[in-house]
Amino acid sequence: MAKKRVCLVVAYDGTNYHGWQVQNNAVTIESELNRCLSELLGENIEVIGASRTDAGVHALGNVAVFDTEARMPAEKISYALNQRLPEDIRIQNSGEVAADWHPRHCRSRKTYEYRIYRGQFPMPVKRLYAHFTYHQLDVEAMRRAAVYLEGEHDFRSFCQTGAQVESTVRTIYEVAVEEQGSDLVIRVCGNGFLYNMVRIIAGTLMEVGQGKRTPESMQAVLAATDRTAAGPTAPANGLMLIKYEFLENSLDSEKTL
Amino acid sequence: MAKKRVCLVVAYDGTNYHGWQVQNNAVTIESELNRCLSELLGENIEVIGASRTDAGVHALGNVAVFDTEARMPAEKISYALNQRLPEDIRIQNSGEVAADWHPRHCRSRKTYEYRIYRGQFPMPVKRLYAHFTYHQLDVEAMRRAAVYLEGEHDFRSFCQTGAQVESTVRTIYEVAVEEQGSDLVIRVCGNGFLYNMVRIIAGTLMEVGQGKRTPESMQAVLAATDRTAAGPTAPANGLMLIKYEFLENSLDSEKTL
């Protein structure tokens, strides 16, 4: 039978998962997708994910591909797979892509949001999807700091040590700091992200917001190319992968959201 | 020792509770408050709640009072109690009120929101706090229908049968239907609500939005004073008690939010 490559746009609540990537003795987004797809299609399916998000990180539009010989039309797989998946994972779109299309070997724009809830006390209905702080944050200072991160830079200072990557140069198209009522949302759009990069950006910008660092100090943090020059890694629960936009023809996660 | 009456503004995620009210063999918001307050203050404490929300319903600002002989200043109780409560219940404010002040025997304005997520497929990070629908909803028709509910009416058609109340007349100050991106929020503000009233209003307005009822038909639904004239009771997860405003001196839940 003819093989085809199918692309999925995958949304999930990361609260109850040990991240995306398959691990021994832990339930992950990838392991649930593999299990449910293999049951549905009667083949051994192993997906390839675009972004291997950490434990506790959420997604509106991560992307995965897999190859199958099944006859089920690619665009019907979303409906059938959602019947089998746990309710905290839902396919938002499915479709066929070129047999050699790979979501990590493809130019793309990725958008993440880091959400902070500001209050005197934590708000229960926010706790899973926003990082709580009772600190006053100087939003204007955070915005001025954010501007220094835009453009092409060596982001080694914003990369968790131990991560093995060939290059730590990335291009950030935008770092927006937006107030949504009691929430403060840091939206970061770039061509790629290093390990924990958005959470380290959020942790460093929060230190700027608290007056522990100046906005201008971001230049020295970048120039240091040293993880210890940046602020702490902000907690996972505030991070959400919003969308992927691929610059070559493929299923675009944005279209479905 | 001198007794005092303490008022609490209580926020919670109702997902894991069998509603507000104490029940045998079930964990409720009230039972958790009683347990943690009794441990904290070394007395047997039983709170009186303003709104006894159903299983799965959330709150940003419900209100409860209790009497205590403890010396702890009333405004410090919020901090101490939050150390003991589970993370899905958080006191937003605490303070002393008059010894005869009772949250259900006091004129007040209550605001509820019913949140609907509109999409092709459910969105996992929305599932606990919004009702999902893939139906197209005519928002303008829902707004025209909502206007008929404003004012003083006999809302017996919007009261779950079996509820025992002396009068089913209530005043609704506003029914707003607001689009927030993919979410549709029905905000209802009134001087009091019958059992399941906001959820029946939401279920009926959704039928208007789907074209199953006309906006004008709301007049006949009200006039029928019969539960079967209205639409279905919308699911609990979409409902959130936003705030209480008391018209006599007391702790106002709005001030803290």
Side-chain angles (χ1 to χ4, degrees):
Chain A
M1 269 192 289
K3 252 198 171 165
K4 66 185 167 214
R5 179 157 285 195
V6 177
C7 181
L8 304 173
V9 177
V10 189
Y12 45 88
D13 178 336
T15 306
N16 296 317
Y17 294 93
H18 287 81
W20 174 276
Q21 199 161 12
V22 165
Q23 295 175 33
N24 289 330
N25 307 317
V27 180
T28 68
I29 310 294
E30 191 180 24
S31 72
E32 288 295 278
L33 288 173
N34 288 346
R35 179 178 66 77
C36 294
L37 276 168
S38 298
E39 286 171 14
L40 175 68
L41 301 174
E43 295 172 84
N44 182 35
I45 304 283
E46 293 192 4
V47 302
I48 301 168
S51 181
R52 287 161 288 190
T53 54
D54 276 340
V57 174
H58 315 292
L60 301 186
N62 204 342
V63 166
V65 296
F66 64 94
D67 294 322
T68 179
E69 294 185 345
R71 285 190 201 173
M72 185 180 292
E75 57 279 8
K76 298 286 182 199
I77 288 175
S78 52
Y79 294 88
L81 189 53
N82 281 337
Q83 300 294 320
R84 294 177 177 263
L85 284 165
E87 65 170 10
D88 48 8
I89 306 177
R90 278 292 173 274
I91 308 304
Q92 300 296 308
N93 201 355
S94 61
E96 192 169 345
V97 289
D100 63 347
W101 188 79
H102 188 295
R104 291 203 298 271
H105 305 159
C106 175
R107 289 186 308 137
S108 62
R109 286 167 66 103
K110 292 143 203 155
T111 304
Y112 281 91
E113 284 183 359
Y114 195 87
R115 184 171 294 268
I116 301 158
Y117 170 70
R118 301 167 295 176
Q120 189 177 3
F121 296 109
M123 186 56 81
V125 298
K126 297 270 190 184
R127 75 192 191 288
L128 302 176
Y129 311 114
H131 169 57
F132 166 71
T133 184
Y134 52 76
H135 291 294
Q136 296 288 326
L137 296 175
D138 179 340
V139 176
E140 273 312 311
M142 292 171 72
R143 287 190 179 128
R144 289 202 305 278
V147 171
Y148 292 106
L149 298 173
E150 294 176 347
E152 185 180 88
H153 300 286
D154 184 338
F155 283 99
R156 187 175 293 275
S157 296
F158 295 89
C159 179
Q160 202 58 49
T161 51
Q164 292 182 355
V165 282
E166 286 178 23
S167 163
T168 48
V169 174
R170 296 289 184 277
T171 299
I172 298 289
Y173 305 116
E174 189 189 25
V175 185
V177 182
E178 187 177 306
E179 293 195 88
Q180 297 180 0
S182 312
D183 287 358
L184 191 66
V185 177
I186 301 169
R187 185 178 307 108
V188 188
C189 176
N191 69 348
F193 292 95
L194 303 166
Y195 188 46
N196 278 352
M197 181 166 154
V198 181
R199 289 167 58 188
I200 299 169
I201 288 175
T204 308
L205 290 181
M206 277 191 280
E207 289 197 338
V208 172
Q210 291 175 49
K212 293 182 181 174
R213 297 170 179 270
T214 63
E216 296 70 30
S217 71
M218 298 301 273
Q219 296 168 91
V221 174
L222 280 167
T225 62
D226 176 355
R227 172 68 187 89
T228 64
T233 305
N237 65 330
L239 187 62
M240 179 119 63
L241 172 54
I242 302 297
K243 66 181 176 187
Y244 258 84
E245 296 158 277
F246 294 103
L247 305 179
E248 286 113 61
N249 68 318
S250 71
L251 207 69
D252 192 324
S253 83
E254 187 189 29
K255 284 176 198 154
T256 68
L257 296 175
Chain B
M1 268 192 288
K3 250 195 171 164
K4 65 185 170 212
R5 179 157 286 195
V6 177
C7 181
L8 303 172
V9 178
V10 189
Y12 46 87
D13 178 337
T15 306
N16 296 318
Y17 294 94
H18 287 80
W20 175 275
Q21 199 161 11
V22 165
Q23 294 176 34
N24 289 330
N25 306 316
V27 180
T28 67
I29 310 296
E30 192 180 23
S31 70
E32 288 295 278
L33 288 172
N34 289 347
R35 179 178 67 78
C36 294
L37 276 169
S38 299
E39 286 172 11
L40 175 68
L41 301 174
E43 294 171 84
N44 183 34
I45 303 282
E46 293 192 4
V47 303
I48 301 168
S51 180
R52 288 162 288 189
T53 55
D54 275 340
V57 174
H58 314 292
L60 301 187
N62 204 342
V63 166
V65 297
F66 64 94
D67 294 323
T68 178
E69 294 185 344
R71 284 192 202 172
M72 186 180 291
E75 57 279 6
K76 297 286 182 200
I77 288 175
S78 53
Y79 294 89
L81 189 54
N82 282 337
Q83 299 295 318
R84 293 175 179 265
L85 283 166
E87 66 170 10
D88 47 7
I89 306 177
R90 278 291 173 273
I91 307 304
Q92 300 296 309
N93 201 355
S94 61
E96 193 169 343
V97 288
D100 62 346
W101 188 80
H102 188 295
R104 291 203 299 271
H105 304 156
C106 175
R107 290 187 305 138
S108 63
R109 288 166 64 104
K110 292 143 203 154
T111 304
Y112 281 91
E113 284 183 0
Y114 195 89
R115 185 171 294 269
I116 301 158
Y117 171 69
R118 301 168 293 177
Q120 189 177 5
F121 296 108
M123 185 56 81
V125 299
K126 297 269 190 185
R127 77 192 189 288
L128 302 176
Y129 311 113
H131 169 58
F132 165 71
T133 185
Y134 51 78
H135 291 294
Q136 296 288 323
L137 296 175
D138 179 340
V139 176
E140 273 312 312
M142 292 172 72
R143 286 189 179 129
R144 289 201 307 278
V147 171
Y148 292 104
L149 299 172
E150 294 176 347
E152 186 181 86
H153 300 286
D154 184 340
F155 283 99
R156 187 175 294 273
S157 296
F158 295 90
C159 179
Q160 202 59 49
T161 50
Q164 291 182 355
V165 281
E166 287 176 23
S167 163
T168 48
V169 174
R170 295 290 184 277
T171 300
I172 297 288
Y173 305 116
E174 190 188 25
V175 185
V177 181
E178 189 177 304
E179 294 196 85
Q180 297 180 359
S182 311
D183 286 358
L184 191 65
V185 176
I186 301 169
R187 185 180 306 109
V188 188
C189 176
N191 69 347
F193 292 96
L194 303 167
Y195 187 47
N196 278 351
M197 181 166 153
V198 181
R199 289 166 58 188
I200 299 169
I201 289 175
T204 309
L205 290 181
M206 278 191 279
E207 288 196 341
V208 172
Q210 291 175 48
K212 293 182 181 175
R213 296 168 180 271
T214 65
E216 296 70 29
S217 71
M218 298 301 273
Q219 297 169 90
V221 173
L222 281 167
T225 62
D226 175 356
R227 170 69 187 89
T228 63
T233 305
N237 65 329
L239 187 62
M240 179 118 63
L241 171 55
I242 301 297
K243 66 181 177 188
Y244 258 84
E245 296 158 278
F246 294 102
L247 305 178
E248 286 114 60
N249 68 318
S250 72
L251 208 71
D252 191 326
S253 84
E254 187 188 29
K255 286 176 197 154
T256 69
L257 297 176

